[in-house]
C-alpha cells in the first residue's frame, strides 16, 4: 500500500513537472521598448508607456523584458521572441496611436493603428489593443510555421522606400533616395531637400537646410515671408501600410489669425502613395 502511494506521488510529481515545462515553453518573451512620439507632452507619453508595460506584464503567456530606456532599432537589436513599442502622435482633432510588434525569427511585423478623440480613450483601450496586436503576430507566425501562404510583411529599409511618392495637393512629388536623403518638388516650382530616417516601423522625413517662403504655399506670400526665417523644419511622421502606401502626419505652418505672425505650426493627417 505504501509502495502504491509512493508510485502515485512520483507519477503526480512527474506530471506536474511536465505540465510546468510545457507551460513555460508556451510562453513568449517580449522586449518592451520606449514609445516613439514627437509630442511635447512627455509626461502623458511616459504615463501611457508605463500603462502599456503594466498591462502587458499582466497578460498570460508572455514574459516581458523592460527596455523602456531605449528605442527599437531593428531585428538585430533584440534576442527575445518579440519586440514591442508604441507610436503616439498628436493629430488634428485628437491622437493617433500605433502599436508595433515584430517577430525576431521571421522578421514579420504587425501594426495596429487607431485614432482617438481624447488621450483618455487611449488609456481605456490599452489592454484590448495590446491583446489584438499580440494575437495577430502570433497567428501570422503560426500560419508561416504551418506552411500556409499569407500576406508578406513589408521589410522596412531605405531600399524599399526609395522611389517617387505623391500625397500632398500642393506638392508635385517626393523623391526618396537609397542613402537616406531626398527632395520635395512643390507645384509652385520650389525644391526642398529632406532627410529620411527609419525608427522601428515608422518613417520620419524632415526638411534639411534653411526654410524658404515657397515651402509654405498654404500661406499668403506676405505671411510666408514673415515666418520662413524662424520656422521649424517641415516634417512627416509616417508608417508603412504596404509597399505602395504610407500614412501619418505632416507638421508645417498654417494660417493662424490669433498669432502675431499670422501663422503657427499645425499637424494634419497625410497619405503617401508610391508612383510606378
Amino acid at each position: 500500500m505504501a509502495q502504491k502511494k509512493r508510485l502515485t506521488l512520483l507519477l503526480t510529481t512527474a506530471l506536474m513537472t511536465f505540465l510546468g515545462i510545457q507551460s513555460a515553453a508556451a510562453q513568449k518573451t517580449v522586449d518592451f521598448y520606449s514609445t516613439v512620439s514627437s509630442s511635447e507632452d512627455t509626461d502623458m507619453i511616459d504615463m501611457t508607456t508605463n500603462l502599456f508595460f503594466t498591462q502587458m506584464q499582466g497578460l498570460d503567456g508572455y514574459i516581458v523584458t523592460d527596455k523602456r530606456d531605449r528605442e527599437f532599432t531593428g531585428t538585430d537589436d533584440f534576442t527575445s521572441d518579440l519586440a514591442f513599442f508604441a507610436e503616439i502622435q498628436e493629430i488634428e482633432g485628437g491622437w493617433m496611436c500605433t502599436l508595433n510588434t515584430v517577430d525576431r525569427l521571421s522578421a514579420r511585423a504587425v501594426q495596429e493603428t487607431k485614432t482617438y478623440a481624447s488621450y483618455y480613450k487611449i488609456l481605456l483601450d490599452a489592454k484590448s489593443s495590446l491583446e489584438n496586436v499580440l494575437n495577430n503576430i502570433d497567428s501570422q507566425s503560426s500560419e508561416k510555421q504551418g506552411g500556409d501562404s499569407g500576406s508578406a510583411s513589408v521589410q522596412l529599409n531605405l531600399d524599399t522606400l526609395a522611389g517617387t511618392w505623391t500625397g500632398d495637393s500642393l506638392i508635385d512629388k517626393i523623391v526618396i533616395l537609397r542613402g537616406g536623403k531626398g527632395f520635395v518638388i512643390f507645384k509652385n516650382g520650389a525644391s526642398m531637400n529632406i532627410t529620411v530616417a527609419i525608427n522601428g516601423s515608422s518613417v520620419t522625413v524632415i526638411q534639411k537646410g534653411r526654410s524658404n517662403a515657397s515651402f509654405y504655399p498654404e500661406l499668403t506670400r506676405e505671411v510666408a515671408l514673415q515666418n520662413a526665417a524662424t520656422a521649424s523644419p517641415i516634417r512627416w511622421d509616417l508608417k508603412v501600410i504596404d509597399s505602395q502606401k504610407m500614412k501619418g502626419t505632416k507638421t508645417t505652418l498654417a494660417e493662424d489669425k490669433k498669432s502675431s505672425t499670422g501663422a503657427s505650426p499645425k499637424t494634419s493627417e497625410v497619405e503617401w502613395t508610391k508612383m510606378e
Side-chain angles (χ1 to χ4, degrees):
M1 188 71 176
Q3 185 177 0
K4 185 176 181 180
K5 286 184 177 179
R6 283 196 299 271
L7 180 59
T8 302
L9 180 60
L10 286 172
L11 289 174
T12 302
T13 303
L15 179 61
M16 294 301 293
T17 301
F18 173 77
L19 291 175
I21 292 173
Q22 291 291 91
S23 177
Q27 290 185 314
K28 285 198 170 184
T29 54
V30 185
D31 284 352
F32 189 107
Y33 288 86
S34 64
T35 298
V36 176
S37 180
S38 59
S39 173
E40 295 180 357
D41 195 345
T42 56
D43 289 340
M44 190 69 75
I45 298 298
D46 288 343
M47 181 183 72
T48 307
T49 302
N50 296 336
L51 175 64
F52 278 134
F53 180 75
T54 301
Q55 294 279 19
M56 184 174 287
Q57 283 184 310
L59 297 179
D60 292 334
Y62 299 95
I63 300 173
V64 186
T65 299
D66 187 359
K67 291 192 175 181
R68 285 175 290 175
D69 60 341
R70 69 193 79 172
E71 292 185 351
F72 178 75
T73 58
T75 53
D76 294 335
D77 187 42
F78 69 104
T79 57
S80 293
D81 298 319
L82 305 172
F84 170 87
F85 66 97
E87 300 173 60
I88 301 175
Q89 303 292 354
E90 293 185 70
I91 59 175
E92 184 176 4
W95 297 81
M96 182 169 65
C97 179
T98 301
L99 303 186
N100 301 270
T101 309
V102 181
D103 185 289
R104 179 176 57 84
L105 293 179
S106 67
R108 295 170 72 89
V110 167
Q111 299 89 35
E112 296 276 344
T113 299
K114 294 182 180 180
T115 56
Y116 299 90
S118 70
Y119 207 97
Y120 178 64
K121 292 186 177 180
I122 298 179
L123 306 180
L124 290 177
D125 198 34
K127 185 177 181 181
S128 61
S129 295
L130 284 173
E131 290 175 334
N132 285 339
V133 74
L134 290 170
N135 287 338
N136 285 341
I137 193 72
D138 285 344
S139 62
Q140 285 196 11
S141 297
S142 298
E143 288 174 3
K144 185 171 183 180
Q145 292 169 3
D148 296 332
S149 60
S151 59
S153 61
V154 178
Q155 299 299 311
L156 187 55
N157 55 56
L158 291 173
D159 285 341
T160 59
L161 289 180
T164 302
W165 299 76
T166 61
D168 190 310
S169 61
L170 299 176
I171 290 177
D172 183 46
K173 58 186 175 182
I174 307 107
V175 178
I176 297 178
L177 306 175
R178 284 183 169 82
K181 298 180 181 180
F183 53 91
V184 173
I185 303 296
F186 291 85
K187 288 186 177 179
N188 60 15
S191 176
M192 180 179 75
N193 291 328
I194 55 175
T195 59
V196 182
I198 297 173
N199 182 6
S201 68
S202 65
V203 177
T204 303
V205 180
I206 302 179
Q207 169 194 336
K208 182 181 179 182
R210 299 177 61 182
S211 292
N212 185 305
S214 298
F215 297 171
Y216 308 100
E218 303 94 335
L219 305 176
T220 64
R221 184 66 178 173
E222 180 182 355
V223 173
L225 286 169
Q226 186 176 356
N227 286 271
T230 58
S232 299
I234 299 171
R235 67 178 287 150
W236 291 263
D237 294 286
L238 308 165
K239 78 177 189 72
V240 173
I241 304 302
D242 55 42
S243 61
Q244 304 296 316
K245 185 180 294 185
M246 293 193 288
K247 285 185 178 182
T249 60
K250 174 185 179 181
T251 303
T252 186
L253 291 177
E255 181 181 354
D256 184 357
K257 294 181 179 179
K258 295 181 180 179
S259 171
S260 59
T261 62
S264 60
K266 179 183 178 181
T267 298
S268 57
E269 294 187 51
V270 294
E271 180 177 313
W272 284 15
T273 302
K274 197 171 188 179
M275 300 173 64
E276 297 295 339

